[in-house]
Amino acid sequence: MEYYSSHINNLIEQLSHLPGIGAKSAQRLAFYIMSMPREQVEQLTGSIHSARNNVRYCKCCCTLTDQEICPICSNEKRDHHTIMVVENSRDLAAYEKTGRYDGVYHVLHGAISPMLGIGPDDIRLKELMQRLQTEDVSEVIIATNSSLEGETTAMYISKLIKPSGIRVSRIASGVPVGGDLEYIDEVTLLRALEGRVEL
Ligand code: ZN
């Protein structure tokens, strides 16, 4: 690594911290950035800055938004009695794309994973429980992934909510095991939603 300028070494190191970017990809990206026109580099860094500085968690559903309350939570036409629980904002976007779900969401930003040391306190579960106490909710649809972590999270949440008498359901297993929701086509998503089973 001593062959390059320390500026390039630093850039490579920063890039290699990103998920899915190994040492080789980081190197390739760094050299590509060096070859980009300056204005394009500025646009890239500018968009990273403005996204990071302006986007925050919705005070209600915890999704990423640039407002205090996201457009879905502030939409009075949505059914606020039904909350779909998803692992991340990408999964929310996948369900929104189907255009067939009119309830609201709760974004956990992760899933429980004893193996990775991620417990219930590390995801936005407390916020969900607070919502259930203060809002008039009739059904919670758990749409976490069908991975081991997703299933563990679903079971944990259902046990937590059940005593309250609120209906808890889980999307059907039309979703392939270990499949990330965001990669699944809309038809499969809708089938999973419609075929949900009460827990
Ligand atoms: Zn929201």
Side-chain angles (χ1 to χ4, degrees), residues 58-63 65 68-74 105 131:
C58 167
K59 272 198 165 167
C60 184
C61 73
C62 301
T63 196
T65 177
E68 201 163 284
I69 305 286
C70 79
I72 297 173
C73 288
S74 51
Y105 296 89
R131 281 180 78 180

Side-chain angles (χ1 to χ4, degrees), residues 47-157:
S47 60
I48 293 174
H49 267 289
S50 74
R52 190 61 190 86
N53 292 334
N54 295 308
V55 177
R56 50 186 144 169
Y57 297 114
C58 167
K59 272 198 165 167
C60 184
C61 73
C62 301
T63 196
L64 295 169
T65 177
D66 46 13
Q67 287 143 18
E68 201 163 284
I69 305 286
C70 79
I72 297 173
C73 288
S74 51
N75 185 346
E76 285 174 12
K77 288 189 187 128
R78 309 273 310 210
D79 167 17
H80 288 260
H81 304 296
T82 307
I83 297 180
M84 183 191 285
V85 180
V86 291
E87 288 184 22
N88 55 53
S89 296
R90 297 189 308 269
D91 294 342
L92 177 155
Y95 268 101
E96 278 303 283
K97 263 188 235 158
T98 68
R100 299 273 293 278
Y101 174 69
D102 71 343
V104 291
Y105 296 89
H106 189 86
V107 182
L108 295 172
H109 294 282
I112 297 169
S113 171
M115 284 229 303
L116 297 173
I118 302 169
D121 291 340
D122 301 313
I123 57 176
R124 306 249 163 176
L125 194 52
K126 208 170 42 202
E127 288 84 347
L128 173 66
M129 299 314 289
Q130 272 164 8
R131 281 180 78 180
L132 298 183
Q133 277 168 9
T134 54
E135 294 170 30
D136 179 18
V137 177
S138 53
E139 182 179 1
V140 174
I141 303 170
I142 306 177
T144 51
N145 292 343
S146 53
S147 60
L148 179 62
E149 293 80 17
E151 293 298 346
T152 308
T153 309
M155 280 303 128
Y156 188 89
I157 296 177

